[in-house]
Amino acid sequence: MTSSSTAAEAMAAAAARAQAYLEHVPERRVYPQENALRALDALCQQPLGAEGDALETIAMLDEVAGPATVASAGGRFFGLVVGGALPAALGARVLAAAWDQIAFNETTSPAAAQIERCAARWLLELFGLPEDSAVGFVTGATMANFSCLAAARRGVLAAQGWDVDAHGLWDAPRLRVVASEEAHSTVLKALRLLGMGVDAIERAPVDEQGRMRADALPPLDERTIVLTQAGNVHSGACDPIGAVVERARAVGAWVHVDGAFGLWAAAAPSTRAQIAGFEAADSWSVDAHKWLNTPYDCGMAICRVGAHLQHAMTATAPSFGSTAALPPREAVGSALTPEFSRAARGVEVWAALRSLGRDGVAALIERCCALARRFGAGLERLGFELLNEMTLNQIVATLPGREERCERIASDVRFSGEAWIDKTRWRGRDALRISVSSWATTEADIDRALRAIETALDGR
Ligand SMILES: *Cc1c(COP(=O)(O)O)cnc(C)c1O
């Protein structure tokens, strides 16, 4: 057979296979079996050049790679603060894939532009952020941190009378960066990419939950960027952002909030107080592919003074002029992101928010927190000690006196296929790290994971 299958046939075939995959996902192994992993070699054996039909290509992918996937779409994946894709968000992504829009600007895709504008409005409303903030739809919190820090660098230097876009950093006034020891590694990566090395970071001390201590900050000034965190990847704890912002405001420093998953705490009444004062910051990073449960790669860079984000991301070409020429409120697509050609990833954010509504987002956050507490209580019954206060959806647990066993327990549980949990080392102790972040997770999933941990404990 030659490549005569139409796009519609390919889509139908893929949809049927995806449907079968998803029906199976709640019950299947989470981590794939050894033979499924070995079978992946088949994908590469053919020398490139032999022509393959579209349907046969899709069939091969499904049959060979499908069994080797990690079931992170299901309810028993507890790693990395991520959750499986919500039905509406997944469907929207598939539809948008068929549309294949170039979400560059209004001219290349008016629909993508309008959908991103609408999703941006809903997000700002949900978080309670200033309605004229700029929202760039990027690939995740890494690029959101990068984009926001590019805006911060520009904004702080502009206030010093320095145009970093034109003159760069070489002769610029020296910037200062304040961050805690617990700042996420992607924040450090963003600083490196932006020409601000990590050795120059002034480290703020943290408390026992990994929260920046507002009372122990170095003195701030108008050339300082302060990097706060909403949602520590271990404890889930949030920095005292309100208190930090107060100090920063007094001297004209810029405050960024890395809220990859923790910013969603703002969307639920019972957790919102944990990040009180965050709305007075200057920029915010948040992931959609984590706690909003959209497919990857999807996150947002939000900037109070939209012009800083827009100008930091400016691109100019003969065909469209400069993306900086738009009024910031009209800027969409590539005018606010590092990418030039880009997917219409605002579509899945729009669909997730449209399908959940305000109450549905709050319920998702609160259900995950409640399930995490159930998980934590179960671990304590098994003899674990919880190292974090479990204010959100994160659990760090160790076996007192037998901490070194945590790594083996985590890998035994993964290889059992029953659940995916991680081992970590936090504040000098080896521990299990567990995150409950998926709409798909049920109480039964938690109990099944606990049984797998109990078995791993008994087995050694
Ligand atoms: C996950 C995470 C990031 C990185 O986000 P990606 O979406 O993986 O790029 C940054 N900061 C925090 C606090 C995170 O939890």
Side-chain angles (χ1 to χ4, degrees):
M1 200 172 173
T2 59
S3 307
S4 59
S5 310
T6 65
E9 285 167 345
M11 190 54 124
R17 289 176 175 277
Q19 185 181 349
Y21 179 87
L22 291 173
E23 277 166 3
H24 190 50
V25 110
E27 278 311 311
R28 62 163 276 183
R29 288 179 58 90
V30 181
Y31 196 77
Q33 248 156 348
E34 194 54 42
N35 56 0
L37 295 175
R38 274 197 305 271
L40 285 170
D41 289 345
L43 294 175
C44 289
Q45 270 171 5
Q46 252 180 324
L48 183 63
E51 194 183 5
D53 173 72
L55 296 186
E56 183 221 314
T57 302
I58 289 165
M60 182 178 190
L61 201 55
D62 182 41
E63 284 155 22
V64 178
T69 55
V70 173
S72 36
R76 286 174 288 122
F77 182 88
F78 301 104
L80 306 172
V81 212
V82 297
L86 282 165
L90 176 61
R93 163 70 70 92
V94 171
L95 196 55
W99 294 342
D100 200 22
Q101 297 294 281
I102 309 144
F104 174 69
N105 67 12
E106 198 82 46
T107 310
T108 58
S109 179
Q114 186 58 20
I115 290 166
E116 289 193 352
R117 240 182 235 121
C118 178
R121 238 186 348 254
W122 281 346
L123 285 167
L124 296 174
E125 188 188 317
L126 193 68
F127 293 133
L129 292 177
E131 61 179 25
D132 52 358
S133 307
V135 181
F137 290 86
V138 292
T139 51
T142 301
M143 285 316 279
N145 283 330
F146 172 82
S147 303
C148 288
L149 293 184
R153 187 180 71 167
R154 183 182 189 280
V156 172
L157 286 173
Q160 300 298 302
W162 185 262
D163 180 350
V164 72
D165 300 325
H167 311 307
L169 278 182
W170 280 291
D171 298 311
R174 172 80 186 239
L175 290 172
R176 294 175 53 213
V177 176
V178 172
S180 83
E181 288 297 340
E182 298 260 333
H184 196 267
S185 62
T186 60
V187 172
L188 308 186
K189 183 194 268 194
L191 288 171
R192 295 202 321 266
L193 292 172
L194 289 162
M196 303 184 277
V198 291
D199 284 353
I201 298 173
E202 298 171 48
R203 296 290 190 164
V206 295
D207 68 13
E208 77 292 343
Q209 291 296 306
R211 284 178 291 242
M212 182 182 262
R213 282 178 46 203
D215 61 346
L217 285 177
L220 309 178
D221 61 28
E222 71 286 355
R223 286 189 280 133
T224 312
I225 300 170
V226 190
L227 302 171
T228 65
Q229 184 166 255
N232 180 296
V233 285
H234 282 101
S235 65
C238 298
D239 290 344
I241 303 169
V244 174
V245 170
E246 215 166 284
R247 282 165 176 256
R249 269 287 141 89
V251 294
W254 182 294
V255 178
H256 172 66
V257 181
D258 177 6
F261 70 98
L263 206 70
W264 293 104
S270 64
T271 49
R272 186 168 170 97
Q274 292 181 36
I275 56 169
F278 77 100
E279 63 275 19
D282 298 283
S283 56
W284 305 266
S285 301
V286 61
D287 262 320
H289 61 213
K290 284 185 178 163
W291 221 349
L292 187 62
N293 291 185
T294 68
Y296 308 94
D297 302 322
C298 193
M300 285 75 67
I302 309 177
C303 191
R304 172 186 297 277
V305 179
H308 288 317
L309 181 60
Q310 182 187 2
H311 286 267
M313 296 300 148
T314 297
T316 306
S319 57
F320 61 83
S322 169
T323 54
L326 295 166
R329 288 198 64 146
E330 285 173 33
V332 286
S334 300
L336 301 173
T337 63
E339 304 93 344
F340 198 76
S341 309
R342 54 188 287 282
R345 62 175 69 90
V347 168
E348 54 256 28
V349 177
W350 180 89
L353 294 175
R354 164 73 176 71
S355 69
L356 289 174
R358 179 181 273 276
D359 292 347
V361 177
L364 170 64
I365 301 308
E366 290 178 347
R367 193 170 61 247
C368 288
C369 294
L371 289 171
R373 288 193 293 273
R374 182 185 183 93
F375 209 141
L379 286 170
E380 284 187 308
R381 278 197 299 277
L382 293 179
F384 283 85
E385 175 194 348
L386 303 183
L387 299 184
N388 68 323
E389 281 167 7
M390 289 203 47
T391 48
L392 224 52
N393 58 334
Q394 298 291 106
I395 306 162
V396 188
T398 194
L399 283 169
R402 295 169 294 163
E403 292 176 11
E404 72 290 348
R405 289 179 63 188
C406 289
E407 177 163 9
R408 190 60 198 250
I409 289 167
S411 75
D412 281 356
V413 168
R414 287 197 300 272
F415 285 112
S416 77
E418 287 293 287
W420 200 107
I421 61 174
D422 217 350
K423 70 99 181 66
T424 191
R425 191 169 170 80
W426 188 55
R427 303 188 70 73
R429 301 183 70 178
D430 291 317
L432 302 180
R433 188 179 74 152
I434 292 162
S435 169
V436 185
S437 322
S438 182
W439 70 279
T441 299
T442 62
E443 290 189 348
D445 289 324
I446 303 291
D447 297 346
R448 192 161 158 188
L450 283 166
R451 281 196 300 277
I453 292 170
E454 188 173 14
T455 304
L457 268 174
D458 290 346
R460 326 234 138 230

